[in-house]
């Protein structure tokens, strides 16, 4: 998580941001190890940076596991908002290109609310799902093991495509049946929703793997040498790459390993990963040329994932281990102990920057794209998720300002296009453009009463409670009055939120984040790495 994503979440709901700090992971060092010998090349101490952030009034640094992000967001939604197990199989534009004028005319007729209420249904979406039986609005397609496979059709006036890099909303193209006429021209296809573009292959593959401490033990394996030792409140890590490489750049192949402590988030109440024991996480990349040199097929698979194959992930794990043949024995044994079903392989794809244009974001007919659907960068550099959170906060702000409709979608696209292009375009150190934009992030508050502190909380933190309005009522931030938050109110809430985030971080890290560890403290990252290096040399000797 970067400053921009954290601030966007805070603009949506400070308490949602706080739930991320309750769920996330914290670390104080990045450690670069020689990819063949395992020896420590350099340890990047983050404590001075954390202390400087605290002194400057910045939010604490945070790392998040994707399933924690998903669970925290799910728990923040009203009940019944999510429908699991539904796969979008088709998205049809009911108006077609010639419906653009009608859509624009509706938008120009009046307010955003009038636009939303008067617009005709523009899109028809078909979802395939399984259940105990087909509903009245579903067409049964087959039965397997007592479960009925059905297709549910939904019509919509407005459509937000938030369905990832291989967005079906963006790519859906149909042969045009429009206004009762069937186009018979040979080879003609009409773009039904988005611009029809799929992301381009980057020439790089990636693998993710995870295992609990007990799964490692059951396989007779241990942590890599730098990650061994007693449990600690902070994440330990070791990155394996050539000694001349920078930690933030990619060579022909590299490996990142992590040892994450347990998390007591409510979302782990079902006994999920990381609930009661340390969790091993690893991420590896390899370029196509390096794969071919190892005799590993490097043909891209597009949106297909090898972990979804019938082998249950065994092929993906075997390919990863083949590409890890140059790594130290303790690292290879650690990777080999990963349960195959917990290994994911992907061919990395991106939406090229030269294809970023207004029409990539919205088609002018009631459809808008957000997140990776419009601007996936391919390599996981942290900004995929952070920019998606920005999209959410900004789209909501424009809808509040203009009403739900094409006017809001156009304003959103116009605002987002230059910023996202600038951040994504600066993809190599020292990230001067990206860093300035990320660190200077600020978003319009979208708060409602449920997101804000009570008067007692403000008083306990030494902050002035909100003054009552002229009618003796709080001038707070209900869904109807949000967007009228005074600067004084905004600063008071942000001060409360900042203190709350650091309180959570201090509690979960034993006060080690943002302050030098006390003498004799259990965690000294550089010392731990040096001890691991000595142990590695001893083993190899």
């Amino acid at each position: 998580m970067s400053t921009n994503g954290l601030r966007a979440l805070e603009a949506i709901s400070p308490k949602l941001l706080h739930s991320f700090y309750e769920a996330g992971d914290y670390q104080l060092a990045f450690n670069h190890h020689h990819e063949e010998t395992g020896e420590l090349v350099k340890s990047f101490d983050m404590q001075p940076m954390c202390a400087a952030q605290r002194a400057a009034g910045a939010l604490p640094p945070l790392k998040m596991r994707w399933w924690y992000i998903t669970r925290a967001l799910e728990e923040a939604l009203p009940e019944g908002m999510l429908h699991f197990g539904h796969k979008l199989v088709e998205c049809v534009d009911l108006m077609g290109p010639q419906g653009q004028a009608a859509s624009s005319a509706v938008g120009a007729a009046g307010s955003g609310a009038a636009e939303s209420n008067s617009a005709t249904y523009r899109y028809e979406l078909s979802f395939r799902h399984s259940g105990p039986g087909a509903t009245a609005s579903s067409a049964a397609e087959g039965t397997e093991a007592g479960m009925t496979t059905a297709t549910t059709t939904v019509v919509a006036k407005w459509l937000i495509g938030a369905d990832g890099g291989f967005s079906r909303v963006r790519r859906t193209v149909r042969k045009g049946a429009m206004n009762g006429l069937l186009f018979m021209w040979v080879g003609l296809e009409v773009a039904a929703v988005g611009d029809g573009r799929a992301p381009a292959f980057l020439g790089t593959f990636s693998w993710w793997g995870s295992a609990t401490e007990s799964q490692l033990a059951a396989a007779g394996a241990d942590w890599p040498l730098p990650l061994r030792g007693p449990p600690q409140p902070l994440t330990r890590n070791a990155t394996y790459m050539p000694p001349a490489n920078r930690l933030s750049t990619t060579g022909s192949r590299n490996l990142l390993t992590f040892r994450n402590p347990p998390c007591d988030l409510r979302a782990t109440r079902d006994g999920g990963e990381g609930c009661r024991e340390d969790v091993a996480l690893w991420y590896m990349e390899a370029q196509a040329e390096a794969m071919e040199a190892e005799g590993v097929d490097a043909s891209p698979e597009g949106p297909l994932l090898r972990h979804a194959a019938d082998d249950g992930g065994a092929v993906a794990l075997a390919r990863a281990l083949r590409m890890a043949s140059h790594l130290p024995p303790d690292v290879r044994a650690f990777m080999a102990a990963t349960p195959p079903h917990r290994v994911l392989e992907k061919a990395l794809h991106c939406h090229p920057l030269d294809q970023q244009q207004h029409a990539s974001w919205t088609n002018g007919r009631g459809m808008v794209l957000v997140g990776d659907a419009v601007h996936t960068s391919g390599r996981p550099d942290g900004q995929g998720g952070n920019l998606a959170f920005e999209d959410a906060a900004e789209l909501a702000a424009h809808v509040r300002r203009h009403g739900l409709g094409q006017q809001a979608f156009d304003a959103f696209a116009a605002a987002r296009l230059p910023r996202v292009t600038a951040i994504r375009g600066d993809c190599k150190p020292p990230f001067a453009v990206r860093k300035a934009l990320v660190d200077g992030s600020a978003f319009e508050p979208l708060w409602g009463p449920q997101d804000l502190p009570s008067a007692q909380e403000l008083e306990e933190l030494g902050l002035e409670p909100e003054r009552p309005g002229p009618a003796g009522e709080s001038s707070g931030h209900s869904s109807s009055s949000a967007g009228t938050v005074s600067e004084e109110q905004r600063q008071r809430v942000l001060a409360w939120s900042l203190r709350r985030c650091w309180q959570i971080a201090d509690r979960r890290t034993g006060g080690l984040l943002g302050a030098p560890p006390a003498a004799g403290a259990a965690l000294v990252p550089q010392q731990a790495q040096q001890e691991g290096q000595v142990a590695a040399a001893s083993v190899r000797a």
Side-chain angles (χ1 to χ4, degrees):
M1 296 293 299
S2 299
T3 299
N4 54 331
L6 295 170
R7 288 297 187 193
L9 282 168
E10 189 173 50
I12 295 169
S13 166
K15 290 185 178 179
L16 176 61
L17 174 65
H18 304 163
S19 73
F20 272 54
Y21 277 99
E22 292 284 6
D25 299 303
Y26 306 84
Q27 68 183 62
L28 287 181
F30 289 102
N31 301 297
H32 176 185
H33 290 257
H34 193 294
E35 63 178 355
E36 295 180 357
T37 67
E39 295 179 356
L40 180 67
V41 176
K42 187 172 183 179
S43 180
F44 299 81
D45 185 6
M46 295 177 59
Q47 281 191 317
M49 181 200 75
C50 294
Q53 284 186 250
R54 187 167 202 158
L59 290 166
L62 183 70
K63 302 183 78 66
M64 290 290 292
R65 303 177 221 182
W66 272 112
W67 82 273
Y68 279 173
I69 291 177
T70 303
R71 193 68 61 86
L73 294 176
E74 288 173 0
E75 291 199 340
L77 290 173
E79 187 175 354
M81 287 287 289
L82 296 174
H83 299 266
F84 294 100
H86 286 63
K87 176 182 176 62
L88 178 62
V89 293
E90 187 178 28
C91 181
V92 176
D93 185 343
L94 297 176
M95 301 180 72
Q98 70 186 62
Q100 182 172 356
S103 175
S104 299
V106 171
S111 69
E115 179 183 357
S116 178
N117 292 333
S118 61
T120 58
Y121 289 111
R122 294 176 173 86
Y123 298 102
E124 181 180 272
L125 297 88
S126 298
F127 296 89
R128 183 172 297 130
H129 56 96
S130 298
T135 65
S137 61
S138 305
E141 295 183 349
T143 302
E144 181 177 354
M147 301 293 285
T148 301
T149 300
T151 299
T152 295
T153 299
V154 177
V155 292
K157 297 176 181 178
W158 311 107
L159 177 61
I160 301 173
D163 51 338
F166 283 87
S167 167
R168 185 170 293 276
V169 170
R170 180 172 185 166
R171 292 182 298 119
T172 296
V173 176
R174 65 168 182 138
K175 293 184 177 177
M178 194 180 305
N179 297 335
L181 300 176
L182 178 64
F183 288 93
M184 300 301 292
W185 300 311
V186 176
L188 175 66
E189 289 189 339
V190 179
V193 186
D195 60 14
R197 286 175 171 163
F201 178 48
L202 288 174
T204 303
F205 281 74
S206 62
W207 293 263
W208 285 263
S210 67
T212 63
E213 189 169 14
S214 58
Q215 287 172 329
L216 291 178
D222 201 347
W223 304 95
L225 286 167
L227 305 186
R228 294 178 187 174
Q232 298 173 357
L234 296 170
T235 293
R236 281 171 276 185
N237 67 91
T239 297
Y240 296 85
M241 60 174 56
N245 281 24
R246 291 178 60 108
L247 191 60
S248 56
T249 60
T250 302
S252 61
R253 49 185 166 179
N254 64 59
L255 174 74
L256 286 73
T257 63
F258 301 91
R259 178 174 177 175
N260 290 64
C263 175
D264 58 359
L265 178 68
R266 288 185 302 111
T268 60
R269 61 182 177 269
D270 58 357
E273 170 193 299
C275 183
R276 293 178 296 272
E277 57 183 331
D278 284 5
V279 176
L281 305 172
W282 55 268
Y283 172 80
M284 185 170 68
E285 283 185 4
Q287 294 181 358
E289 293 81 358
M291 297 173 65
E292 291 167 357
E294 292 283 353
V296 178
D297 173 33
S299 58
E301 291 189 319
L304 301 178
L305 307 178
R306 292 186 194 272
H307 83 293
D310 293 338
D311 60 77
V315 171
L317 178 57
R319 286 165 54 86
L321 293 175
R322 182 76 174 267
M323 295 311 302
S325 60
H326 64 300
L327 294 170
D330 57 309
V331 179
R332 295 200 306 271
F334 161 76
M335 295 176 64
T338 308
H341 70 277
R342 298 174 75 112
V343 177
L344 177 150
E345 178 183 348
K346 288 182 69 176
L348 297 183
H349 291 69
C350 78
H351 288 297
L353 282 175
D354 59 9
Q355 294 181 6
Q356 286 289 305
Q357 53 188 326
H358 189 91
S360 302
W361 292 74
T362 178
N363 64 358
R365 302 190 303 279
M367 182 279 294
V368 67
L369 298 173
V370 298
D372 280 352
V374 63
H375 52 63
T376 182
S377 62
R379 283 202 66 237
D381 63 354
Q383 280 306 305
N386 287 286
L387 288 175
F389 289 128
E390 281 196 23
D391 288 348
E394 289 285 357
L395 180 58
H398 285 289
V399 168
R400 169 170 290 154
R401 196 172 300 126
H402 302 294
L404 178 59
Q406 190 57 48
Q407 185 181 5
F409 294 172
D410 284 335
F412 167 75
R416 297 298 293 153
L417 177 57
R419 176 174 171 85
V420 170
T421 302
I423 290 176
R424 274 202 51 211
D426 185 17
C427 57
K428 294 182 179 180
F431 301 109
V433 174
R434 172 183 292 201
K435 188 175 189 309
L437 290 172
V438 166
D439 291 349
S441 299
F443 303 92
E444 178 181 322
L446 304 166
W447 307 319
Q450 72 281 1
D451 305 312
L452 301 178
S454 64
Q456 180 180 353
E457 285 179 294
L458 288 174
E459 289 174 350
E460 288 175 352
L461 290 169
L463 301 171
E464 183 182 356
E466 190 175 331
R467 299 185 184 93
E473 297 179 356
S474 169
S475 58
H477 322 299
S478 66
S479 58
S480 59
S481 65
T484 61
V485 179
S486 70
E487 183 60 22
E488 180 185 0
Q489 293 167 340
R490 177 175 175 273
Q491 292 302 327
R492 189 160 54 242
V493 171
L494 291 178
W496 160 75
S497 180
L498 177 65
R499 293 193 190 190
R500 181 71 182 129
C501 291
W502 278 103
Q503 284 177 341
I504 297 171
D506 286 340
R507 170 170 51 80
R508 295 199 55 225
T509 64
L512 293 172
L513 198 69
L523 180 68
V524 183
Q526 182 67 47
Q527 177 184 336
Q529 294 303 315
Q530 290 171 345
E531 290 175 354
Q533 182 176 335
V534 172
S538 175
V539 168
R540 292 187 178 89

